[in-house]
Amino acid sequence: MTKNKPNYVLRVTCPSIRGVTAAITAFLSERGCNIRDSAQFDDESTNHYFMRITFRAEEGRSLQDLDREFQPLVEQFGMDHEFFDERTKRKVILMVSRFGHCLNDLLYRWGIGALPIDIVGVISNHLDFQKVVQGHGIPYHHIRVTAENKVEAEAEQMRIVRAAGAELIVLARYMQILSDEMCQQMSGRIINIHHSFLPSFKGGSPYKQAFERGVKLIGATSHFVTADLDEGPIIEQDIVRITHAQSPDDYVSLGRDVESQVLARAIHAYVHGRVFLNDNKTIVFPPSPDSYSSETIG
């Protein structure tokens, strides 16, 4: 991606109406914008239209000007929309308990610039990863959580999120159930990694359940967090093949890699604006050109 020509993104959701694609592309063309990548989906079951476009403003139009001039189309088609610069790093809070593989993977990807995020803090109910996190220059917040102090602990967690200006919370194997209130406050802005190929084997011991059923594939699921445990809209999934010879500990070890990859891909899709909520499901568009490039070699 050339530094003097940033990629801009336009996200649109609206009722399914004839002519919306033509109207959007004509709007950008008339203002000297060159479309580099476009994806759209018209969901007949929900009567909703989804579109994501990456483009370059080759005649110097600012996002503020484009957003202002786009308002007549917003009103005409009843759109929810967002313009943003792909170089903008989203502020993210990571939450972790005692399994560190996802945390370490995200710290590495963040360190080489493979994820356009700004990790503004890590919250944990344990002290296991304090030195690792602080060694990266990231604030580490230890908040002990018990049945007796859960309300106060979540209030402190939300205070940290607000103070840091975080747009997204990532549960990188955080093994505490969030309250309905916290899920509602951050609706559509909490991503979890579940060590199972949902909807099968929900709950706290999915690998043990999978072993007892003799499955031949295990996997991981990244999804939005809702008040319904492990029922949030799914963003990303993947699997790894196993055999009858594997033990429950093998399942856990094999699962670490797929969990880390699935969570990273879900975050990548979210921060690039590729994920759209569609009732209890998601629309996830393919990545754009250059979106996987890193700032440094690593």
Side-chain angles (χ1 to χ4, degrees):
M1 185 188 304
T2 56
K3 293 182 178 181
N4 60 333
K5 289 186 177 180
N7 280 344
Y8 293 147
V9 178
L10 170 60
R11 288 166 41 93
V12 168
T13 304
C14 66
S16 180
I17 303 174
R18 185 176 65 243
V20 62
T21 302
I24 293 171
T25 55
F27 170 87
L28 293 172
S29 177
E30 290 165 2
R31 286 156 181 80
C33 298
N34 182 31
I35 294 173
R36 301 194 68 225
D37 181 66
S38 177
Q40 56 276 331
F41 177 65
D42 188 23
D43 189 345
E44 294 183 352
S45 65
T46 62
N47 196 39
H48 271 79
Y49 174 87
F50 306 87
M51 187 176 200
R52 179 186 182 275
I53 291 178
T54 61
F55 64 94
R56 286 178 177 162
E58 296 186 338
E59 295 181 6
R61 294 281 186 130
S62 70
L63 287 182
Q64 293 76 17
D65 288 343
L66 290 169
D67 190 38
R68 184 182 65 254
E69 296 170 12
F70 195 65
Q71 291 307 309
L73 289 184
V74 171
E75 296 175 7
Q76 178 183 349
F77 293 102
M79 295 176 180
D80 289 326
H81 80 290
E82 178 189 13
F83 284 97
F84 68 91
D85 187 333
E86 274 201 316
R87 299 171 301 177
T88 302
K89 294 186 177 181
R90 310 275 181 151
K91 293 184 177 181
V92 176
I93 289 280
L94 305 181
M95 297 179 69
V96 64
S97 290
R98 310 196 83 162
F99 297 95
H101 49 285
C102 290
L103 171 67
N104 283 298
D105 180 78
L106 293 176
L107 290 174
Y108 172 74
R109 294 174 192 267
W110 165 79
I112 65 170
L115 281 175
I117 60 175
D118 181 9
I119 302 176
V120 292
V122 173
I123 297 173
S124 179
N125 54 331
H126 298 281
L127 288 167
D128 299 51
F129 304 109
Q130 183 177 30
K131 289 183 179 180
V132 171
V133 171
Q134 291 179 341
H136 284 79
I138 299 170
Y140 190 87
H141 307 276
H142 174 230
I143 302 175
R144 185 168 172 266
V145 181
T146 66
E148 292 73 26
N149 81 335
K150 189 174 181 65
V151 173
E152 293 79 8
E154 282 200 351
E156 177 63 9
Q157 290 166 357
M158 286 305 303
R159 186 197 66 76
I160 292 168
V161 169
R162 295 191 194 96
E167 303 169 65
L168 178 69
I169 295 174
V170 174
L171 306 185
R173 290 302 301 271
Y174 181 69
M175 307 307 288
Q176 293 286 326
I177 298 173
L178 304 185
S179 69
D180 293 0
E181 182 180 357
M182 188 168 179
C183 293
Q184 291 167 6
Q185 287 184 54
M186 296 293 293
S187 179
R189 294 191 292 150
I190 306 177
I191 292 177
N192 185 35
I193 182 65
H194 187 78
H195 43 306
S196 174
F197 195 63
L198 293 175
S200 299
F201 310 127
K202 303 173 186 177
S205 302
Y207 290 134
K208 182 175 183 292
Q209 298 175 56
F211 174 76
E212 291 171 349
R213 290 293 302 275
V215 302
K216 299 300 182 277
L217 295 170
I218 59 172
T221 300
S222 187
H223 62 94
F224 286 112
V225 175
T226 64
D228 296 322
L229 181 64
D230 300 335
E231 296 283 353
I234 292 170
I235 305 170
E236 180 64 61
Q237 294 182 293
D238 207 347
I239 56 174
V240 59
R241 182 168 291 279
I242 56 170
T243 76
H244 62 276
Q246 260 82 62
S247 68
D249 288 342
D250 288 334
Y251 282 38
V252 173
S253 296
L254 290 167
R256 290 193 190 109
D257 288 341
V258 71
E259 290 166 26
S260 299
Q261 293 172 36
V262 166
L263 181 58
R265 291 203 299 262
I267 297 168
H268 185 277
Y270 180 92
V271 299
H272 281 280
R274 298 193 283 113
V275 182
F276 294 75
L277 282 168
N278 185 25
D279 288 347
N280 64 337
K281 300 186 293 184
T282 60
I283 307 299
V284 183
F285 287 129
S288 300
D290 301 322
S291 64
Y292 279 109
S293 60
S294 302
E295 294 174 356
T296 60
I297 301 298

